Each structure stands twice: as structure tokens, then as C-alpha cells.
Amino acid sequence: MITVSHLTKYYGRHLAVSDLSFEIGEGHVYGFLGPNGAGKSTTMNIMTGCLSATEGSVSIDGHDIFEEPKAAKKLIGYLPEQPPLYPGETPEEYLHFVGQAKGLRGERLRAELEAAIEATGIEPVRHKRIGALSKGFRQRVGIAQALLGDPRVIILDEPTVGLDPLQILEIRDLIRRLGRTHTVIFSSHILSEVQTVCDRILIIAHGRLVAQGKPEELERELAGETEIRLIADADDLTAAKIVASVEGLHALEVTGEGGVSTFRLAAGDGDPHAMTRALFGAFAKADTAILEMSVKKATLEDVFLELTEKDGSGLPAPEDSIAEDSAPVDGAAEEIKESEATGHDGDPEA
């Protein structure tokens, strides 16, 4: 459905996205997971055609977002982190305007407007001023505008930021329901949220894709071996001989002091509980006391923290497209310069 190939984005000399490549299949909920500043919003803005790329390409169902922007953008519904709402209008007035801007007219406009209102649960506030709505309802109105035009892909940038716990649960449930009929991509820096809602995860750090897959696959493949921590009332040599009698364990770290030894043991693929029982038996047989023993399995959260805290220093900026003293900037001037350098128009038409 979506192919992102070697995507790179510089802001001045700052490398925001670095050689990003991945594919999005149809009919799943995908989570872009990463800390703030990881490059998630920049990637989404490029995927939706709202921002040009320094290098690389994005294809939506075979349509290049830069070469065929109109055809590609018709397939996308987008909610940026700051919803583009008009506080003086009602949700119905606003959605009517957005629908017309997307080319909807007559009965189709009315039908899609009603369907979007029903899908997002904003019927009770459809005639209230947007500026008077809670942030949760404003997010729902923003998602409703993304649904207009019957897009195949819904892209949501940090849709739960700033919401209270109940609103967060409601938006998560809405995303799950949208995933039954659309391909949904949403970004978050909260691991538990992505694990709860998504059936595919892409972890982004320092502008790079560092891992991807189903939540259970990532936890199984990346979490590593189960560790057993053991403190024994014996010197390290005596304790090591006892530990060595239990098959399937290997020592990661051994320390000894004052006749007490501490072991960090890797359990490999074996059952850690079976191994702790075997250790208890071995030490009891040797008439040696275990002072403390615990089992620790690395979680996906441990993996996420490890992956995202690694050094992400990027490549130097290309000399032919970046001025010597340039710095990260916003606005049209930067985009014009980058458009000239890359040949991408960055046309934000939706």
C-alpha cells in the first residue's frame, strides 16, 4: 500500500530523517513509536506530501507523492499533531467546508459528513462551537475531517497528546475501530499505547528505523535472554562449581566478596522456573545456602529504551544543498530552497 524508500530530510545541517525505508501493508493499524524529536512527525509530513524530502521517495498505492501528488493524496486522510480546526465554526460547518475542499458535493458530501460524524461519535456536539469543545472532542472532529473523501489510509500524528485518561481510552478505541475498514498509521512516544492499539510497530530513533514487526515478535526477538540473579553464601569458586552442575545456564557476571558470591546467569531458551528449581536443588545437595535469587525477563519497554537511547549522530549535510552557516528553520523559504535542490514540489494539496 505504502512504500517509503531511502527517505532523508535535512533542516539546514540538522539531519531529521536518515535513509528511512519501510512498507505499510493494507488493513492494519501501524504505530510509529519513538521519543520526542525522533523524526516521526517529519516522516508523516513527507508521507502526506506536506513537506518535501531531501532524498528518497514515497509511493501510495503506486502513486509517487511528489510526482503524482493529487492521485496520491486522494488516498490519504491526515490529522497533524495540531488539528487544523476553526474554533468559530461548529463541527458540522467545519466538516462541510473540508468536504467541499476535498471535492465532495451534493448527496455524497452529506452522506460522508454524516458517516464521519457517526464514526467519530461527535453527534452530541455537532452544532456547538469548536472553540467551546473539550480537547477530546476537538481531536474527534480532527479525525472526522481526515475520514472525508473516503481515504484508504488514515494518518494520525500523536492523536492522544494532552488528553485526559478517559479521552485517551476513547481515542484508542476509535483508532481500533477505524483499523477494521482502513489502514491506520499513528505516532506516539508511549510504548504501552502502541502495544495496546497496533498490530504492527515501527520504532524510530534519531531519524532512523531501528526495529519493526508485530508487538509479540519484537518482544520475542529483541528482548533477549532471561536473566537469573543469584547470591550464594559461598566463595565464588565453590558457588561456580555448583552453578556449573545445572545445564543450560551460562554466567554473564560473577563477583565475590566476604565469602558471599553474586552471579548474573543467562537462562537461554530454557524454562527459567525449571532452572531456578534445579539451582535450589543443586545448592541444597551441596549444603550451601542461597541468600537471594530472582528472575528478570527483558521487556519490550527495556528494548525500546535501549534502542532509542543509543547514539544517533547522523551523516554530514550535503555541501551542494546546505549553506555553510545555515541552521534549522521553519517556513516557506526553507522549503523553496529544498524544492529547488531536490526537484520535489512539496505541494500540500490534499
Side-chain angles (χ1 to χ4, degrees):
M1 183 63 192
I2 300 177
T3 301
V4 174
S5 181
H6 301 291
L7 202 63
T8 298
K9 177 66 177 180
Y10 280 97
Y11 292 105
R13 288 193 169 276
H14 173 66
L15 180 60
V17 176
S18 176
D19 196 30
L20 209 58
S21 296
F22 57 86
E23 292 191 2
I24 300 291
E26 194 164 7
H28 297 288
V29 179
Y30 287 81
F32 275 18
L33 176 65
N36 291 327
K40 304 186 301 295
S41 293
T42 296
T43 301
M44 286 185 157
N45 276 316
I46 295 174
M47 290 172 64
T48 55
C50 296
L51 190 65
S52 67
T54 305
E55 295 176 10
S57 64
V58 177
S59 174
I60 314 291
D61 198 29
H63 301 285
D64 189 286
I65 194 69
F66 305 119
E67 304 297 332
E68 304 175 80
K70 290 184 179 180
K73 292 175 188 178
K74 283 182 179 180
L75 302 172
I76 301 171
Y78 180 41
L79 175 66
E81 186 174 352
Q82 297 298 327
L85 306 177
Y86 296 117
E89 295 185 346
T90 67
E92 183 172 323
E93 292 168 341
Y94 170 70
L95 294 175
H96 190 273
F97 165 74
V98 172
Q100 287 185 319
K102 291 187 175 185
L104 304 178
R105 297 292 185 272
E107 182 57 35
R108 184 183 175 192
L109 173 59
R110 286 190 293 273
E112 289 209 21
L113 189 149
E114 293 300 326
I117 288 175
E118 180 180 357
T120 54
I122 59 174
E123 174 65 38
V125 299
R126 67 186 296 166
H127 299 302
K128 294 184 179 180
R129 235 177 18 94
I130 291 174
L133 301 181
S134 68
K135 183 163 185 180
F137 269 119
R138 291 200 299 272
Q139 286 293 82
R140 288 172 176 270
V141 174
I143 295 173
Q145 64 80 27
L147 293 175
L148 294 174
D150 193 26
R152 292 170 60 186
V153 181
I154 305 295
I155 298 179
L156 311 172
D157 191 1
E158 299 273 7
T160 62
V161 167
L163 303 184
D164 66 38
L166 179 58
Q167 292 170 338
I168 289 173
L169 292 175
E170 291 172 344
I171 294 298
R172 289 178 182 174
D173 183 62
L174 174 57
I175 291 172
R176 289 190 199 95
R177 285 188 279 113
L178 291 175
R180 299 170 191 164
T181 54
H182 300 78
T183 298
V184 180
I185 306 167
F186 84 98
S187 65
S188 178
H189 59 274
I190 304 171
L191 173 62
S192 59
E193 178 168 79
V194 173
Q195 282 182 289
T196 300
V197 178
C198 300
D199 43 39
R200 301 287 191 281
I201 297 176
L202 294 91
I203 301 179
I204 299 175
H206 309 290
R208 302 174 187 272
L209 182 66
V210 293
Q212 63 178 317
K214 298 179 181 179
E216 62 273 16
E217 290 175 346
L218 290 175
E219 191 155 20
R220 184 173 61 250
E221 294 173 8
L222 301 178
E225 296 179 305
T226 299
E227 284 188 17
I228 298 174
R229 184 173 183 268
L230 170 70
I231 301 178
D233 188 17
D235 62 81
D236 53 356
L237 182 59
T238 300
K241 290 180 179 178
I242 301 172
V243 169
S245 68
V246 178
E247 293 185 3
L249 291 171
H250 65 271
L252 300 174
E253 183 182 1
V254 182
T255 57
E257 184 178 354
V260 174
S261 54
T262 301
F263 288 77
R264 279 180 54 237
L265 306 168
D269 296 329
D271 180 355
H273 299 298
M275 291 185 177
T276 57
R277 285 194 292 269
L279 282 168
F280 272 118
F283 275 85
K285 183 177 181 180
D287 196 24
T288 303
I290 293 176
L291 303 179
E292 182 180 329
M293 185 158 58
S294 59
V295 178
K296 182 180 184 295
K297 173 69 174 177
T299 65
L300 189 54
E301 183 173 5
D302 297 324
V303 175
F304 172 61
L305 291 173
E306 181 180 354
L307 289 173
T308 56
E309 287 176 357
K310 289 180 180 178
D311 176 40
S313 55
L315 301 172
E319 295 297 330
D320 59 346
S321 63
I322 307 297
E324 183 65 28
D325 297 322
S326 60
V329 296
D330 296 319
E334 175 70 4
E335 287 307 309
I336 291 172
K337 286 190 288 184
E338 291 179 355
S339 296
E340 292 172 348
T342 62
H344 297 156
D345 57 14
D347 177 15
E349 181 182 349

